């Protein structure tokens, strides 16, 4: 795990931020980004990472535009903000100039070596067509091709594109040169005739399979034709050939990955059944609120007819307390039925809160918002409804509405510690760590018995670079909550980040044993996954790491974090086809469009590189030579 990769709060409580797998410098950002994906795709604010994966026989190399880094790197980036802004403006100015000019045409190597030939007047140009070209000698063909190509370049420079097309066509008759095809494609590009651009660049690539300019030109045409997968393949091949030195091509890969993923995400969403996420995720969300007894009259001992609305509320609360997949499904159905039966009296606002909660967890955001809004109207004193609605607003990108909900909650009860805890989550996700720390501390001051306020304060201190303070917070929390597995799990993560592998694994083992003893039916699998990553980082023990992930998936088959971790481990071993299946499974498990797009970005990156390997096998072998520790990177 990189120094900056600390746990990130999701819509619920603290959540796992999977440790980055060790790697050499050329691929370190892969593991930083992939490792945080499993938690960040569940975070309230999403960012689509740009990824270009390169598959080789030994494994993968990723080119990643990654916004996360260690604390020192973040400070350095902040320090150079002015320089970055200045560089960005200069780059934009350069791009404007580039865009204003037509694409450049090229000289072939054979022509470059020949003496400079001035463009001849049109009447002096060689007369050549399909009926006469066979009568020319090889030397005459070369000379004619040179003259016609030079004339084509002049016509192109004069923006006489149709004339240039004719001249390049005649040059091709004399000598099928990849540059001639690419230059004619540049003319069609200027005219917006994208199909013809594809035809000519394809001919150029057939003659020179590593012709980067032709690949980029064809990719651009494919993008205009909305053939995004084809464009992604070409841009990726171009990146590989250029050894990832061309930022523009890399940015194009990032852009195309997002486009392809967004298109597929819409298709998935149209036919996707709305269902609850994994028990691990549901449990993490629910336990982000302080445990409170059921409303008076809905206790487990209350005698209520199960065929009444109140009776179904009671049934739902009992089912929810099991913290199992079946229990959560049963609870959701009971809350739905409670409102259908009606006659809820004073519990109506609470019923809308609970149904809205489970609708949100299923990804039914519109109906969930409606339920929570009804809840706050019926029972404004139920501050939890404001808090949950605030989290939803933030997930939908409406920060102002989220902040307003927190204000309304405080008007009802400014002494409610949950308000400060969840507002701290908002600040944390937005990178406002100082504000987050204040709210976590306020939550602790109001109620010291809620462990996650302590855990998240320690995580925030770590994120701010106050490592000593963070470690002290965790040690104090372990002393005060020595029977709670979560604190050992998250403390282990921070130890893992500092490469204290033995200590980290001991903490994960402690958490696992406590989970087994205290929650045998609803065990949190995150410590198992963390231990898997620790074993890989420390000893590159793929076999044991995979076993732990498989065990986690047996306990919680729909745990997206376990699925994503398996994909990482398989990729690192070069088991690309298997890894792809796990990334696709992660997309299936995602709740919202943003989450699906994020998961599919990785799946599409992996799929594209499989296609590159099949279409350009020479690139895979080249990467084996340049990738250093691709198959199994050295330990750091």
């Amino acid at each position: 795990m990189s120094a900056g990769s600390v746990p990130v709060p999701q819509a619920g409580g603290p959540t796992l931020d999977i440790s980055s797998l060790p790697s050499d410098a050329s691929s370190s950002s892969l593991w930083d980004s992939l490792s945080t994906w499993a938690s960040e795709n569940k975070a309230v604010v999403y960012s689509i990472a740009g990824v270009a994966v390169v598959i080789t026989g030994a494994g993968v190399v990723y080119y990643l535009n990654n916004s996360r880094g260690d604390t020192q790197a973040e400070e350095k980036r902040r320090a150079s903000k002015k320089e970055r802004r200045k560089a960005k403006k200069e780059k934009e100015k350069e791009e404007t100039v580039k865009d204003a000019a037509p694409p450049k045409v090229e000289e072939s190597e054979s022509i470059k070596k020949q003496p400079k030939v001035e463009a001849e007047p049109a009447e002096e140009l060689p007369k050549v067509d399909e009926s006469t070209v066979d009568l020319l000698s090889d030397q005459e063909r070369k000379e004619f091709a040179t003259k016609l190509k030079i004339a084509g370049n002049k016509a192109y420079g004069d923006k006489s594109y149709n004339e240039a097309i004719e001249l390049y066509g005649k040059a091709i008759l004399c000598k099928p040169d990849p540059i001639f095809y690419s230059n004619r494609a540049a003319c069609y590009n200027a005219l917006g005739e994208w199909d013809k651009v594809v035809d000519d660049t394809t001919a150029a690539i057939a003659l020179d399979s590593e012709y980067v300019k032709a690949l980029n030109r064809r990719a651009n045409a494919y993008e205009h034709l909305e053939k995004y997968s084809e464009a992604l393949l070409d841009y990726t091949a171009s990146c590989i050939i250029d050894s990832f030195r061309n930022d523009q091509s890399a940015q194009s890969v990032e852009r195309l990955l997002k486009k392809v993923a967004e298109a597929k995400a819409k298709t998935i969403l149209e036919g996707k059944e709305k269902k609850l996420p994994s028990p691990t995720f549901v449990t993490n969300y629910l336990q982000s609120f302080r445990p409170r007894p059921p409303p008076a009259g809905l206790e487990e001992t209350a005698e209520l007819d199960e065929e009444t609305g109140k009776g179904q509320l009671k049934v739902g609360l009992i089912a929810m307390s099991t913290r199992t997949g079946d229990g959560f499904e049963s609870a959701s159905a009971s809350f739905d039925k409670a409102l259908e039966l009606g006659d809820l009296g004073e519990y109506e606002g609470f019923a809308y809160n609970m149904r809205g909660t489970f609708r949100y967890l299923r990804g039914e955001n519109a109906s969930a918002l409606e339920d929570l809004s009804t809840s706050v109207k019926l029972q404004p004193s139920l501050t939890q409804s404001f808090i949950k609605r605030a989290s939803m607003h933030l997930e939908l990108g409406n920060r102002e509405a989220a902040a307003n909900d927190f204000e309304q909650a405080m008007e009802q009860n400014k002494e409610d510690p949950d308000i400060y805890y969840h507002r701290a989550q908002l600040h944390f996700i937005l990178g406002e760590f100082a504000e987050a720390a204040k709210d976590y501390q306020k939550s602790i001051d109001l109620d010291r018995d809620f462990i996650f306020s302590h855990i998240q304060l320690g995580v925030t201190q770590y994120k701010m670079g106050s490592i000593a303070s963070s470690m002290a917070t965790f040690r104090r929390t372990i002393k005060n909550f020595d029977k709670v597995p979560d604190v050992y799990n998250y403390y282990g993560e921070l130890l893992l980040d500092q490469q204290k592998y033995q200590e980290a694994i001991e903490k994960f083992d402690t958490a696992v044993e406590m989970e087994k003893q205290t929650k045998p039916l609803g065990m949190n699998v995150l410590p198992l996954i963390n231990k898997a990553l620790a074993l890989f980082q420390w000893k590159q023990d793929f076999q044991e790491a995979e076993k732990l992930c498989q065990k986690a998936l047996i306990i919680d088959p729909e745990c997206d974090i376990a699925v994503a971790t398996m994909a990482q481990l398989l990729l690192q071993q070069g088991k690309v086809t298997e890894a792809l299946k796990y990334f696709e499974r992660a997309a299936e498990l995602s709740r919202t469009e943003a989450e699906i797009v994020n998961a599919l970005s990785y799946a599409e990156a992996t799929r594209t590189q499989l296609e590159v390997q099949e279409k350009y096998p020479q690139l895979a072998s080249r990467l084996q030579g340049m990738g250093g520790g691709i198959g199994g990177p050295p330990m750091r």
Side-chain angles (χ1 to χ4, degrees), residues 267-398:
T267 302
I268 289 174
L269 275 175
E270 288 171 3
K272 186 177 177 63
E273 176 190 359
K274 297 292 186 182
K275 63 178 184 177
L276 291 175
S278 74
T280 298
F281 180 78
V282 177
T283 298
N284 278 351
Y285 179 78
L286 295 176
Q287 72 181 11
S288 72
F289 294 90
R290 284 163 171 78
R292 296 178 183 178
L298 296 180
E299 300 91 348
E300 191 171 347
T301 56
E303 295 183 6
L304 295 169
D305 183 351
E306 290 188 6
E307 294 307 312
T308 66
K310 295 174 185 176
Q312 281 299 306
L313 278 180
K314 173 190 165 184
V315 169
L317 290 170
I318 293 171
M320 192 170 70
S321 67
T322 65
R323 296 194 175 185
T324 64
D326 289 341
F328 291 137
E329 290 290 350
S330 177
S332 179
S334 293
F335 296 137
D336 286 345
K337 190 174 181 181
L339 282 162
E340 288 173 12
L341 292 170
D343 193 24
L344 293 164
E346 62 184 297
Y347 304 118
E348 189 175 4
F350 177 74
Y352 276 106
N353 174 296
M354 297 313 300
R355 187 175 74 173
T357 298
F358 278 86
R359 282 182 168 180
Y360 161 70
L361 289 167
R362 283 197 298 266
E364 299 172 1
N365 286 345
S367 57
L369 271 175
E370 187 178 332
D371 275 355
L372 292 170
S373 296
T374 302
S375 177
V376 298
K377 288 177 184 176
L378 291 169
Q379 191 178 348
S381 60
L382 188 57
T383 54
Q384 195 181 96
S385 295
F386 285 109
I387 295 169
K388 290 176 179 177
R389 192 172 69 172
S391 295
M392 289 192 61
H393 281 311
L394 185 57
E395 182 168 316
L396 295 170
N398 193 341

Side-chain angles (χ1 to χ4, degrees), residues 75-141:
E75 291 174 353
K76 185 177 180 181
R77 283 197 294 272
R78 285 197 295 269
S80 60
K81 202 172 188 179
K82 291 182 180 178
E83 288 85 343
R84 292 203 316 275
R85 192 180 295 119
K86 182 179 178 182
K88 184 179 178 183
K89 286 182 179 179
E90 290 175 355
K91 185 176 181 182
E92 287 173 351
K93 184 176 179 182
E94 290 173 6
E95 291 299 323
T96 302
V97 174
K98 283 183 187 174
D99 292 341
K104 292 181 180 179
V105 292
E106 298 179 85
E107 300 282 353
S108 66
E109 288 302 316
S110 60
I111 291 175
K112 286 178 184 176
K113 293 175 183 177
Q114 294 182 16
K116 183 88 173 168
V117 180
E118 296 296 328
E120 299 187 23
E123 64 273 10
E124 297 179 20
L125 285 172
K127 302 288 192 266
V128 62
D129 56 33
E130 291 181 1
S131 64
T132 61
V133 70
D134 289 338
L135 303 175
L136 301 174
S137 66
D138 288 345
Q139 185 59 35
E140 286 175 322
R141 287 190 183 194

Side-chain angles (χ1 to χ4, degrees), residues 289-566:
F289 294 90
R290 284 163 171 78
R292 296 178 183 178
L298 296 180
E299 300 91 348
E300 191 171 347
T301 56
E303 295 183 6
L304 295 169
D305 183 351
E306 290 188 6
E307 294 307 312
T308 66
K310 295 174 185 176
Q312 281 299 306
L313 278 180
K314 173 190 165 184
V315 169
L317 290 170
I318 293 171
M320 192 170 70
S321 67
T322 65
R323 296 194 175 185
T324 64
D326 289 341
F328 291 137
E329 290 290 350
S330 177
S332 179
S334 293
F335 296 137
D336 286 345
K337 190 174 181 181
L339 282 162
E340 288 173 12
L341 292 170
D343 193 24
L344 293 164
E346 62 184 297
Y347 304 118
E348 189 175 4
F350 177 74
Y352 276 106
N353 174 296
M354 297 313 300
R355 187 175 74 173
T357 298
F358 278 86
R359 282 182 168 180
Y360 161 70
L361 289 167
R362 283 197 298 266
E364 299 172 1
N365 286 345
S367 57
L369 271 175
E370 187 178 332
D371 275 355
L372 292 170
S373 296
T374 302
S375 177
V376 298
K377 288 177 184 176
L378 291 169
Q379 191 178 348
S381 60
L382 188 57
T383 54
Q384 195 181 96
S385 295
F386 285 109
I387 295 169
K388 290 176 179 177
R389 192 172 69 172
S391 295
M392 289 192 61
H393 281 311
L394 185 57
E395 182 168 316
L396 295 170
N398 193 341
R399 177 179 177 178
E400 186 176 342
N404 184 54
D405 272 339
F406 284 121
E407 288 298 322
Q408 290 185 71
M410 291 178 69
E411 288 172 8
Q412 295 296 322
N413 182 7
K414 64 180 181 179
E415 299 300 310
D416 182 349
D418 276 345
I419 298 172
Y420 300 96
Y421 175 79
H422 284 272
R423 191 172 68 175
Q425 302 285 71
L426 179 151
H427 288 308
F428 188 105
I429 289 163
L430 296 174
E432 299 164 356
F433 301 120
E435 293 301 314
K438 289 179 185 176
D439 273 349
Y440 287 130
Q441 187 60 57
K442 177 68 173 178
S443 177
I444 292 170
D445 293 342
L446 291 169
D447 176 15
R448 306 194 71 82
D449 294 332
F450 185 62
I451 188 173
F452 293 112
S453 294
H454 298 272
I455 290 174
Q456 205 59 56
L457 175 61
V459 169
T460 304
Q461 291 168 333
Y462 194 89
K463 189 70 175 173
M464 294 170 71
S466 301
I467 310 301
S469 297
S470 173
M471 295 296 100
T473 296
F474 268 96
R475 285 192 293 271
R476 186 167 57 249
T477 305
I478 287 177
K479 181 179 178 181
N480 295 329
F481 299 89
D482 62 328
K483 303 300 182 185
V484 182
D486 301 271
V487 66
Y488 295 96
N489 177 55
Y490 293 107
Y491 187 37
E493 284 194 41
L494 300 191
L495 290 169
L496 180 58
D497 186 66
Q498 297 170 65
Q499 299 179 23
K500 297 178 180 179
Y501 301 115
Q502 184 66 56
E503 291 180 65
I505 288 174
E506 288 172 2
K507 294 296 182 288
F508 297 142
D509 281 338
T510 300
V512 169
E513 289 305 311
M514 285 186 175
E515 289 283 349
K516 289 178 182 177
Q517 294 169 15
T518 59
K519 295 179 279 186
L521 297 178
M523 178 180 171
N524 186 337
V525 299
L526 300 186
L528 287 171
I529 301 167
N530 270 341
K531 182 179 178 182
L533 287 166
L535 286 171
F536 171 77
Q537 278 200 31
W538 189 17
K539 301 178 179 179
Q540 291 197 28
D541 190 342
F542 287 108
Q543 186 175 6
E544 186 60 28
E546 282 192 39
K547 282 183 182 178
L548 288 166
C549 286
Q550 290 291 6
K551 186 175 181 180
L553 287 169
I554 290 170
I555 296 168
D556 188 352
E558 299 198 345
C559 179
D560 55 345
I561 299 175
V563 171
T565 305
M566 276 296 295

Side-chain angles (χ1 to χ4, degrees), residues 170-214:
K170 290 181 178 180
I172 289 167
L173 277 176
C174 295
K175 181 177 180 249
D177 187 296
I179 289 178
F180 298 170
Y181 279 110
S182 184
N183 284 1
R184 189 168 69 177
C187 298
Y188 287 128
N189 186 91
L191 296 171
E193 297 185 36
W194 306 114
D195 285 315
K196 291 181 179 179
V197 174
V198 170
D199 290 342
D200 271 0
T201 49
T202 299
I205 294 163
L207 294 168
D208 181 357
S209 62
E210 296 189 13
Y211 191 177
V212 169
K213 185 162 286 188

